[in-house]
Amino acid sequence: MSAVTAAVRAGRTEEALGLLTGLADAERRALLPELKEIRKELRVAPWGSRSREMLPALHAAGAACHTGAAAAASWLSSSDLRWRQAAPELLLRALEGRESAWLGDVAHRLAQRPTSAGVPYALMSGLVRRSGCAVPVTDPYVIAWIQHVSGHGRRGSLVDRLRAEPDLVRLVAGFFDLMDLSEVRWMLGEDTGSWQHALAELTRQGVLDRATVVDACVARLLRGGGPTDHRVFLPLLVRLDLTRAEERARIADWTALARDAASPVAGHAQSVLSALALDGELTHRRLAEASEGVLFRGEKKLVRAQLVLLGKVLSRRPDATAELLPAVALAFGHEDAQVQERALKLVERHAKRLDAALKSELAPAAEQLTPGLRARASGALGLAVTAPMAYEEVLPPAPEPVRLAAAPETAVELAEEVGALLAGDGDVAAFERALDGLVRHAHRDRAALLTALGPVIERRWWDDTAADLQRHAERYFGGSHLDLQGTENALDLLLASLRGRVAASRLHPGARRGSIGPACVHHGLADAFDARIREVAWRLHADPPPLLLSTPTWSTGLLEPADLVARLDIYRRLGARVGAADFAQALLRVRRGDRAAAAAAAERASALGTDEGERLARWLRAEPPAAPVTGRETRGARILVGYGEVPELKEEFPVEFRALGASVTAYGSGSRYCSHWSPGTRQHWLALLPERRELVAVRMVRDLSDAAVHDVRGGAVVLPLLAESGGEAGECVHLCLAYGLAARHAEDRLAAVDALLVLAARGQLDPARLGADLGQLVRRGAVKPLRLAESARQAAATGANATIWGMLRHALPVLFADLATAAPAGSVGQVSAARGLGDLVAVAAECAERSGAWGELPHLSRIADRRGSSRLVAEARRLRDALSARTAA
């Protein structure tokens, strides 16, 4: 061991650097193997060990011993040395005596390292000063500089500190070019001590060139960036207080910003253009170009402000009519009817100045107006009123269930599918194919199956030879706490059973009775799924059946009766024992809705001469029972649903399945503890009862209400599967859909819209029931009108105007009634201040106009007759006009 190495191991940095002083490059390089060996030891040393105290000495000594610039930079910025690196002044001492070009090369290489490398600014700037090289204006270097200048404890004001910076001009240019401000945004401030204030002050003092700073600021706003970058550069631009000449020289930039920039930036650009236009310093063509961009924006405040500006200019300059009115007409296509009406009023006010050619030019734009406004536009422009086309509802085609492909033919193919499922948590069809494939191949050749699954199993956490992990796996998979609802957990149990990691005694059906955990509203569904998977895992030990009876025929989980009879015949011929849970699941999945097919299959099942055949025949011949009695529950703002017993599901079924027939309350019959939180588990529940989706929906109403009431994400993604499932779409399905339409997160609302359209396309949607539920939920505060309006607008945009109108025509009277009767402030019926109610009425008006709906809506006239021009009152008038006009788009 060399003296240098000994000093490093002792953590004596000063001594190590002293020993390295005067050594030739070859002698320093010769020490690197020993230093790298120490580094390897430290990588695996416990975090709190005393050996880590040698890190600063190792860091400095290694930097001194590397003679290549790239290797030195790599050592200096290594992640494993970062946490206790040497101080910058020691590192600079370690690099003393190097050539200036070499030091500059290291500085630029360090400046290229990502910010996460944590290279100290003092080290980089020290190398720049000693080498005399140009400042490396990279993002990491500039961010490190900002952090250094903004650091706590620095003396003097920020203006003074920046003024003293010798490379201020280059670094400020780098500041404007930063790709991402997120790491320093909080340091920049917004008050008089902020960077915006300091840069504006230095610009006023002449330290920074004004034209350069203004151009850089405007260019950065044009470029955009992160969602909050404008909070840095827009205040700076405002503080620079541009002169009229500077504003006039950048008209093209203001036009681009008004069209495309973030809303606050666009608003500032719009105000600059407005001042120029009103002072006659903006040509009509330029104003028209700017208006074209602004009027296409979604922010109604900007659009209204632009229409006000256009109105003022048109009043002052009649000669601008030919150039500006076509720009005004662009607002005819805005989604807000109030914006359309403002634009139309402008056209009506100046219609006398229009010649025939300009009227013809505006005619196509007038076609985008709502039907009521279109008639006004036709009168103002002297256009012929065309008879409206008959409305035709356009609904997307309902998705058709897909027939499951046969299980993979070879064990290798099956192993690939199992691996993909474990990696991606696939759908029900993929899971059921893999499950059936495991059973078939285990029955056919267990050894070949295990060989094919070897690469998949070896990557699982439970397949470890360590005794403690084996015991943990045994307890984990055999314990009553394990929730098998997810695809991954279920497959892990099956593979662990095949591998012999779980004793058969822990999986035997007799070892598990009753619920797998504290009772919750989901436990009936969870227990049934769990019982089937554990039965399969138990059979895989020594008695794998030839196939599974309960593998569905269709992707929804539905099983054709003829397929089930054929599988029972295979069991009879082979003398195979039928699994109780497997057969119970098959009965729950078999199609009984087609009574003719069920009767024919029942005859063939009786002819088998087996107990299971007779049981299947009785099941198929029995009339599907009526829906159980429902009862509504209210909990705070929510409306929830409970169900009575389903006797047929409590008779002749294994004990784990009988909870499916028990009565259901919104919060379960016992503990409120619930481990069934993963949205991916619910697809398996729907496949459990593919012809009885109401029995699944009643157990999910509370979960769906959380998406609207508590803003829980992901709960509504199951709704399209619920809509595609079979059986009655009754009170529970519609209540689940109502909550989904008002979910907090856009992806949940989109899933609810998909479900609504699927139900409508299948003729299973009850708009009156859904609308009444929505009205009551809005009234109670569980559903926010603005969210519901967004969902309704999305659905209507697909062409489902009549469907959405049918829903809203039953929701709005509930809300209008409270407004009309002026419910006392603070009462549950007070919705007068409900944010977004005007938006909801706007969607209803548009749907009524487009679908040609007509008639009276209770309490609508009392809202429309109110004074004022609020969004709610204006849209109520529009809706009343639409319902009395009997016109369709």
PDB file of all heavy atoms in Angstrom, residues 514-525:
ATOM      1  N   GLY A 514     -65.494 -18.959   4.474  1.00  0.00           N
ATOM      2  CA  GLY A 514     -65.944 -17.600   4.716  1.00  0.00           C
ATOM      3  C   GLY A 514     -65.119 -16.583   3.963  1.00  0.00           C
ATOM      4  O   GLY A 514     -64.376 -16.893   3.045  1.00  0.00           O
ATOM      5  N   SER A 515     -65.259 -15.337   4.386  1.00  0.00           N
ATOM      6  CA  SER A 515     -64.610 -14.234   3.681  1.00  0.00           C
ATOM      7  C   SER A 515     -63.118 -14.274   3.869  1.00  0.00           C
ATOM      8  O   SER A 515     -62.606 -14.746   4.883  1.00  0.00           O
ATOM      9  CB  SER A 515     -65.171 -12.903   4.189  1.00  0.00           C
ATOM     10  OG  SER A 515     -64.498 -11.832   3.575  1.00  0.00           O
ATOM     11  N   ILE A 516     -62.379 -13.773   2.898  1.00  0.00           N
ATOM     12  CA  ILE A 516     -60.928 -13.727   2.973  1.00  0.00           C
ATOM     13  C   ILE A 516     -60.447 -12.605   3.880  1.00  0.00           C
ATOM     14  O   ILE A 516     -59.262 -12.508   4.169  1.00  0.00           O
ATOM     15  CB  ILE A 516     -60.294 -13.544   1.574  1.00  0.00           C
ATOM     16  CG1 ILE A 516     -60.731 -12.201   0.975  1.00  0.00           C
ATOM     17  CG2 ILE A 516     -60.647 -14.676   0.675  1.00  0.00           C
ATOM     18  CD1 ILE A 516     -60.024 -11.877  -0.310  1.00  0.00           C
ATOM     19  N   GLY A 517     -61.285 -11.751   4.337  1.00  0.00           N
ATOM     20  CA  GLY A 517     -60.876 -10.644   5.186  1.00  0.00           C
ATOM     21  C   GLY A 517     -62.084  -9.966   5.780  1.00  0.00           C
ATOM     22  O   GLY A 517     -63.209 -10.464   5.680  1.00  0.00           O
ATOM     23  N   PRO A 518     -61.894  -8.837   6.433  1.00  0.00           N
ATOM     24  CA  PRO A 518     -63.039  -8.111   7.001  1.00  0.00           C
ATOM     25  C   PRO A 518     -64.070  -7.800   5.935  1.00  0.00           C
ATOM     26  O   PRO A 518     -63.733  -7.488   4.800  1.00  0.00           O
ATOM     27  CB  PRO A 518     -62.386  -6.824   7.546  1.00  0.00           C
ATOM     28  CG  PRO A 518     -60.942  -7.171   7.734  1.00  0.00           C
ATOM     29  CD  PRO A 518     -60.627  -8.159   6.655  1.00  0.00           C
ATOM     30  N   ALA A 519     -65.335  -7.943   6.295  1.00  0.00           N
ATOM     31  CA  ALA A 519     -66.396  -7.769   5.312  1.00  0.00           C
ATOM     32  C   ALA A 519     -66.430  -6.332   4.812  1.00  0.00           C
ATOM     33  O   ALA A 519     -66.352  -5.390   5.576  1.00  0.00           O
ATOM     34  CB  ALA A 519     -67.742  -8.133   5.942  1.00  0.00           C
ATOM     35  N   CYS A 520     -66.544  -6.190   3.506  1.00  0.00           N
ATOM     36  CA  CYS A 520     -66.734  -4.884   2.890  1.00  0.00           C
ATOM     37  C   CYS A 520     -67.739  -5.091   1.769  1.00  0.00           C
ATOM     38  O   CYS A 520     -68.171  -6.212   1.495  1.00  0.00           O
ATOM     39  CB  CYS A 520     -65.413  -4.314   2.351  1.00  0.00           C
ATOM     40  SG  CYS A 520     -64.735  -5.241   0.957  1.00  0.00           S
ATOM     41  N   VAL A 521     -68.102  -4.034   1.106  1.00  0.00           N
ATOM     42  CA  VAL A 521     -69.132  -4.140   0.077  1.00  0.00           C
ATOM     43  C   VAL A 521     -68.682  -5.018  -1.089  1.00  0.00           C
ATOM     44  O   VAL A 521     -69.493  -5.540  -1.846  1.00  0.00           O
ATOM     45  CB  VAL A 521     -69.524  -2.726  -0.397  1.00  0.00           C
ATOM     46  CG1 VAL A 521     -68.433  -2.120  -1.250  1.00  0.00           C
ATOM     47  CG2 VAL A 521     -70.855  -2.744  -1.136  1.00  0.00           C
ATOM     48  N   HIS A 522     -67.357  -5.211  -1.236  1.00  0.00           N
ATOM     49  CA  HIS A 522     -66.849  -6.002  -2.357  1.00  0.00           C
ATOM     50  C   HIS A 522     -66.590  -7.459  -2.003  1.00  0.00           C
ATOM     51  O   HIS A 522     -66.188  -8.237  -2.884  1.00  0.00           O
ATOM     52  CB  HIS A 522     -65.523  -5.413  -2.861  1.00  0.00           C
ATOM     53  CG  HIS A 522     -65.544  -3.951  -3.115  1.00  0.00           C
ATOM     54  ND1 HIS A 522     -64.839  -3.051  -2.337  1.00  0.00           N
ATOM     55  CD2 HIS A 522     -66.185  -3.207  -4.036  1.00  0.00           C
ATOM     56  CE1 HIS A 522     -65.032  -1.825  -2.783  1.00  0.00           C
ATOM     57  NE2 HIS A 522     -65.853  -1.884  -3.795  1.00  0.00           N
ATOM     58  N   HIS A 523     -66.740  -7.850  -0.752  1.00  0.00           N
ATOM     59  CA  HIS A 523     -66.185  -9.140  -0.350  1.00  0.00           C
ATOM     60  C   HIS A 523     -66.847 -10.315  -1.048  1.00  0.00           C
ATOM     61  O   HIS A 523     -66.201 -11.341  -1.272  1.00  0.00           O
ATOM     62  CB  HIS A 523     -66.226  -9.294   1.174  1.00  0.00           C
ATOM     63  CG  HIS A 523     -67.550  -9.737   1.719  1.00  0.00           C
ATOM     64  ND1 HIS A 523     -67.849 -11.056   1.938  1.00  0.00           N
ATOM     65  CD2 HIS A 523     -68.647  -9.033   2.088  1.00  0.00           C
ATOM     66  CE1 HIS A 523     -69.077 -11.152   2.431  1.00  0.00           C
ATOM     67  NE2 HIS A 523     -69.584  -9.945   2.527  1.00  0.00           N
ATOM     68  N   GLY A 524     -68.119 -10.204  -1.438  1.00  0.00           N
ATOM     69  CA  GLY A 524     -68.737 -11.308  -2.171  1.00  0.00           C
ATOM     70  C   GLY A 524     -68.048 -11.566  -3.492  1.00  0.00           C
ATOM     71  O   GLY A 524     -67.758 -12.715  -3.859  1.00  0.00           O
ATOM     72  N   LEU A 525     -67.767 -10.509  -4.235  1.00  0.00           N
ATOM     73  CA  LEU A 525     -67.060 -10.647  -5.510  1.00  0.00           C
ATOM     74  C   LEU A 525     -65.638 -11.136  -5.288  1.00  0.00           C
ATOM     75  O   LEU A 525     -65.140 -12.008  -6.018  1.00  0.00           O
ATOM     76  CB  LEU A 525     -67.032  -9.298  -6.235  1.00  0.00           C
ATOM     77  CG  LEU A 525     -68.388  -8.678  -6.577  1.00  0.00           C
ATOM     78  CD1 LEU A 525     -68.223  -7.217  -6.963  1.00  0.00           C
ATOM     79  CD2 LEU A 525     -69.056  -9.447  -7.703  1.00  0.00           C
TER      80      LEU A 525
END
